[in-house]
Amino acid sequence: MLVWCSGHVVVVLLVAALSTAPACTERIGLYEDTDLLEILDSTNFNDKVLQGNTSFVVEFYNAFCGHCIRFSTPWKGFGIQIYGWRNYVKVGVIDCSNEINSQTCRDYEVMAYPTVRYFPPQPASSDIGKDFIRSFNIQVMKDFLIKMLQETQSSTNVSTLCDIQPFENVNVELDSNNILTFIIISTPNDKIAQELIIDFCPVKKVKIISVLNSNTGLAELLKTETYPSLYLVEDNNQFTRLASGNNKTNFTNTINTYLETVHMTPFSIFDITTTLYNLLFHKDKGSIQNDNTVYLSDLEATLRYSLEHEILSRSVISGESLNALNSYLELLIECFPSSIRGKKFIKLIWDNTHLNKTVSGEKLGNLINNYEFLLKPYVTKHNWIGCEGSQPIYRKYPCGLWTMFHTLTVQASIKNLTTFNGRQVLETIAGYVKNFFGCTDCSEHFMNMATTIQTNVSSLDDAVLWLWSAHNQVNQRLKGDVTEDPIHPKIIFPSKVYCETCHQIGTDEWNETEVLKYLKNMYSAISLQKTSFDNIHSQNDNLMIPGKRSIDDDSNYNNNVFDEEEWKIDVSTCMISYILSCSVLMILFYLLLVKKRCKKNKYIYFILGK
């Protein structure tokens, strides 16, 4: 009976684990199928990028990253501009903020967003791609892509692309398979010849040859005075100049004219004018809606994404990054407003990191998932409430991160911490931003501001005010930016509506004493509202206010909360029991196999209850 009981225990545990496993996150991505890009994820990345016969340029992005949102417009434009090259190279995107893609992004060592990589056709599974230039100038990215395609063509035979290498001979011999042959002579920095070769590559019986002006022998035969220039090859080494000047449209129209003379269908260049116009970001003014309530649900959603995604995006955490992680966990243990089980959860993670020199991202992820399953550390459903945006791409995690940082500084000040001083609190926050925050551009801006911490912060109250001032600087810089939610515009806070005494009368100066008082009230009175649909009229009853109510009180949580006296089972013991139960199940499975082979063995029948 003991054996069967253990088996059933394992089955129950396995079913429970599957039923409570984190569901795939909603698709927030910045791109849609209509953007003429390849939408990649963990299920199709290998088939399309590794097994495909075309080159790939892939943007690894984070939907919450402000710089990624800004970059999405030129990236869509880039995808449209080279859509006609899709038989030879494709432009793809993968959202690393989506949990289902976390392992893929970790495998390709994506440390910052956006990261753009170039992959040749059928790359090795160990090939993480070559770094590709990121630019808001689409032509710069096209020129860089041509350089990558030239390198690929010279080193592999997989590509079916027409010859885009510079022609190095002096004599041009006509091929009887081609009806028309053209030459474009240009300088090394000019890629118009390669662009037109790729554009017209699908057109059969037409050949375009690229010649550099460094090919002096052929250049003398062509008698070129202006670069680039387009020539028609009429006979072996007989040329007629058709067009000159850096005007691709003129060259295209000229070639199409000659196609018509030999009764060939002119090549139709993909019309991008309307599509590119539609990519322009038009924002509605919207109505201003500001809610200065701090929701525990936002804080827990932020913490969960931070622990289970941003930190785990690294395959290996060591050195400065590991020190930053340990300091961050220590600050969370001290100041994050969580239940007893929540603090236990963070403490157990810290126990497994602070004594190691290196930590595997994958192993840490498994550990975090196991602890979350066993402890149920979150009080709310970790939905976005105060940080919910008017559209999926707005606010959420960046808003939540600011909210959590403010909460940590305020809690540190209210508790008058002795384990952290004001500078150390901010340096811990800066360490997280530098090493783990996915938005590279945002991180660099924050670290530039962080250079003033040493000279401007000497107390825990100073830390509260420094972060408030830094946040206002960011709001000022991003006001009107493409990343701004039109329904929640960036403002200098607190506004007079919420704190009139924070503003000195008749001046633009702040009353920092009142600001500090306001911030401490705002980031300590935390709403326990669990969803945006809860009754807002009872919101005051759901506030966690220091000295009055604690998040650890059973009345604020559910009946399953453990207080310190009830917490008797150590997690390591649970894990050992779990492993032993699994072992028993494996033995049972083995015995069942033996039973089928040896049906006459009555002993086995007895053991199995038959």
Side-chain angles (χ1 to χ4, degrees):
M1 292 299 295
L2 177 61
V3 172
W4 273 111
C5 181
S6 300
H8 286 302
V9 168
V10 174
V11 172
V12 170
L13 284 171
L14 289 174
V15 171
L18 290 172
S19 63
T20 58
C24 295
T25 56
E26 60 177 325
R27 179 175 171 179
I28 300 170
L30 303 179
Y31 303 92
E32 300 175 353
D33 295 334
T34 54
D35 290 324
L36 305 182
L37 302 169
E38 293 285 337
I39 308 298
L40 303 171
D41 57 38
S42 60
T43 65
N44 64 16
F45 193 93
N46 285 353
D47 289 341
K48 291 192 174 186
V49 179
L50 302 187
Q51 305 300 326
N53 292 322
T54 67
S55 296
F56 246 99
V57 188
V58 180
E59 180 202 6
F60 298 82
Y61 74 94
N62 184 312
F64 300 123
C65 164
H67 191 55
C68 297
I69 296 173
R70 291 187 211 99
F71 185 64
S72 64
T73 297
W75 193 247
K76 290 174 184 178
F78 175 63
I80 291 168
Q81 290 248 2
I82 68 167
Y83 182 71
W85 301 359
R86 61 191 178 279
N87 290 333
Y88 320 108
V89 59
K90 293 177 181 175
V91 179
V93 292
I94 182 167
D95 182 6
C96 294
S97 67
N98 191 323
E99 287 182 14
I100 67 170
N101 299 327
S102 295
Q103 187 60 51
T104 300
C105 296
R106 184 159 55 239
D107 289 343
Y108 285 89
E109 300 179 12
V110 178
M111 302 293 187
Y113 304 103
T115 289
V116 183
R117 301 263 177 79
Y118 169 84
F119 296 87
Q122 299 178 12
S125 58
S126 59
D127 186 355
I128 64 170
K130 292 183 179 179
D131 287 333
F132 192 88
I133 192 170
R134 288 185 288 111
S135 174
F136 283 78
N137 186 322
I138 295 174
Q139 188 59 49
V140 169
M141 292 194 286
K142 282 184 77 174
D143 290 349
F144 193 83
L145 174 59
I146 288 170
K147 178 185 174 184
M148 294 285 101
L149 292 173
Q150 285 179 313
E151 290 179 3
T152 297
Q153 191 175 67
S154 63
S155 61
T156 180
N157 295 321
V158 177
S159 176
T160 58
L161 181 62
C162 296
D163 188 3
I164 57 174
Q165 305 298 330
F167 186 75
E168 297 180 348
N169 297 331
V170 175
N171 296 319
V172 179
E173 297 181 359
L174 292 177
D175 187 341
S176 59
N177 293 322
N178 298 318
I179 296 175
L180 291 171
T181 301
F182 299 92
I183 283 179
I184 298 175
I185 184 168
S186 60
T187 60
N189 293 329
D190 197 329
K191 303 298 182 185
I192 189 172
Q194 284 74 23
E195 282 195 43
L196 287 169
I197 291 172
I198 302 173
D199 284 346
F200 283 88
C201 190
V203 182
K204 298 183 181 301
K205 298 187 179 300
V206 173
K207 182 176 184 179
I208 301 175
I209 299 172
S210 169
V211 176
L212 296 179
N213 61 347
S214 57
N215 185 340
T216 54
L218 187 51
E220 289 177 2
L221 288 174
L222 295 171
K223 299 178 181 179
T224 306
E225 295 179 356
T226 304
Y227 299 99
S229 287
L230 171 68
Y231 293 84
L232 174 67
V233 183
E234 297 191 69
D235 201 350
N236 291 341
N237 285 352
Q238 297 295 315
F239 315 105
T240 300
R241 186 172 64 83
L242 304 179
S244 294
N246 197 3
N247 188 328
K248 181 184 173 184
T249 302
N250 185 28
F251 281 26
T252 300
N253 291 338
T254 302
I255 295 173
N256 275 335
T257 299
Y258 273 84
L259 289 177
E260 290 177 334
T261 63
V262 294
H263 308 291
M264 294 180 67
T265 304
F267 177 63
S268 176
I269 300 296
F270 189 74
D271 181 12
I272 66 170
T273 307
T274 303
T275 312
L276 282 176
Y277 177 79
N278 291 335
L279 290 177
L280 296 177
F281 197 89
H282 299 288
K283 294 185 291 184
D284 298 325
K285 293 294 182 181
S287 57
I288 298 177
Q289 298 179 6
N290 291 312
D291 182 2
N292 281 9
T293 304
V294 176
Y295 296 91
L296 182 63
S297 187
D298 288 327
L299 294 175
E300 292 193 332
T302 302
L303 177 64
R304 190 168 188 261
Y305 187 85
S306 166
L307 293 177
E308 298 182 19
H309 191 89
E310 285 217 304
I311 290 170
L312 301 184
S313 65
R314 290 177 173 270
S315 56
V316 176
I317 307 170
S318 61
E320 179 186 349
S321 298
L322 184 55
N323 291 335
L325 172 60
N326 289 328
S327 184
Y328 174 61
L329 292 172
E330 289 166 11
L331 185 61
L332 290 173
I333 293 168
E334 293 280 4
C335 299
F336 189 85
S338 59
S339 66
I340 292 171
R341 289 194 294 183
K343 290 189 182 298
K344 181 77 173 178
F345 172 61
I346 301 170
K347 176 67 165 54
L348 285 169
I349 298 171
W350 179 80
D351 286 342
N352 284 274
T353 63
H354 79 284
L355 295 178
N356 296 315
K357 293 184 178 180
T358 62
V359 173
S360 162
E362 184 177 359
K363 290 181 179 178
L364 182 60
N366 293 334
L367 196 74
I368 290 173
N369 288 336
N370 288 335
Y371 287 154
E372 183 179 343
F373 168 68
L374 291 167
L375 292 174
K376 304 295 187 293
Y378 299 112
V379 174
T380 69
K381 297 178 181 178
H382 37 78
N383 297 319
W384 302 109
I385 301 178
C387 285
E388 181 65 63
S390 62
Q391 293 183 34
I393 65 171
Y394 294 134
R395 308 188 81 213
K396 289 188 168 68
Y397 182 66
C399 165
L401 200 59
W402 275 114
T403 304
M404 185 173 73
F405 288 163
H406 285 298
T407 302
L408 294 176
T409 60
V410 165
Q411 293 292 329
S413 178
I414 290 175
K415 292 182 177 182
N416 195 22
L417 286 187
T418 57
T419 51
F420 286 84
N421 59 39
R423 289 177 185 170
Q424 290 169 332
V425 169
L426 293 177
E427 286 168 354
T428 296
I429 290 172
Y432 177 86
V433 171
K434 178 181 178 182
N435 290 281
F436 299 107
F437 188 43
C439 178
T440 309
D441 187 54
C442 312
S443 177
E444 289 174 354
H445 280 289
F446 190 90
M447 295 312 297
N448 285 335
M449 293 189 295
T451 57
T452 65
I453 292 174
Q454 286 293 329
T455 55
N456 291 295
V457 176
S458 58
S459 68
L460 291 168
D461 282 351
D462 288 343
V464 175
L465 290 172
W466 184 93
L467 191 66
W468 158 75
S469 177
H471 194 171
N472 273 338
Q473 290 178 50
V474 172
N475 282 350
Q476 221 165 5
R477 178 173 61 84
L478 296 180
K479 185 174 179 61
D481 188 75
V482 67
T483 61
E484 182 182 56
D485 189 334
I487 305 302
H488 301 274
K490 304 289 185 184
I491 64 168
I492 304 302
F493 87 106
S495 66
K496 289 185 180 180
V497 174
Y498 290 100
C499 185
E500 189 173 357
T501 58
C502 292
H503 300 259
Q504 293 188 6
I505 300 175
T507 70
D508 294 330
E509 300 296 321
W510 294 95
N511 182 336
E512 292 193 352
T513 301
E514 290 297 314
V515 171
L516 180 63
K517 181 179 176 182
Y518 173 83
L519 294 173
K520 286 188 174 182
N521 286 332
M522 176 178 173
Y523 290 101
S524 58
I526 297 171
S527 172
L528 302 182
Q529 182 176 325
K530 296 182 181 181
T531 72
S532 56
F533 304 106
D534 288 351
N535 185 357
I536 60 174
H537 299 295
S538 61
Q539 186 166 310
N540 289 336
D541 295 331
N542 284 324
L543 291 179
M544 182 189 72
I545 302 174
K548 295 184 179 180
R549 299 180 68 185
S550 167
I551 202 169
D552 296 326
D553 293 343
D554 286 350
S555 58
N556 293 338
Y557 195 20
N558 55 47
N559 294 330
N560 294 322
V561 173
F562 298 161
D563 60 24
E564 292 286 2
E565 294 302 319
E566 293 174 44
W567 185 260
K568 299 294 184 182
I569 304 176
D570 186 80
V571 173
S572 59
T573 305
C574 293
M575 292 300 295
I576 292 171
S577 300
Y578 187 83
I579 292 169
L580 287 174
S581 298
C582 289
S583 301
V584 170
L585 182 62
M586 292 175 66
I587 294 170
L588 276 172
F589 183 71
Y590 172 76
L591 291 174
L592 284 170
L593 291 177
V594 172
K595 169 195 166 185
K596 290 182 179 181
R597 295 178 182 177
C598 308
K599 291 184 178 180
K600 295 182 180 180
N601 192 327
K602 296 181 181 181
Y603 179 72
I604 293 178
Y605 287 161
F606 175 75
I607 292 294
L608 294 175
K610 292 276 187 174

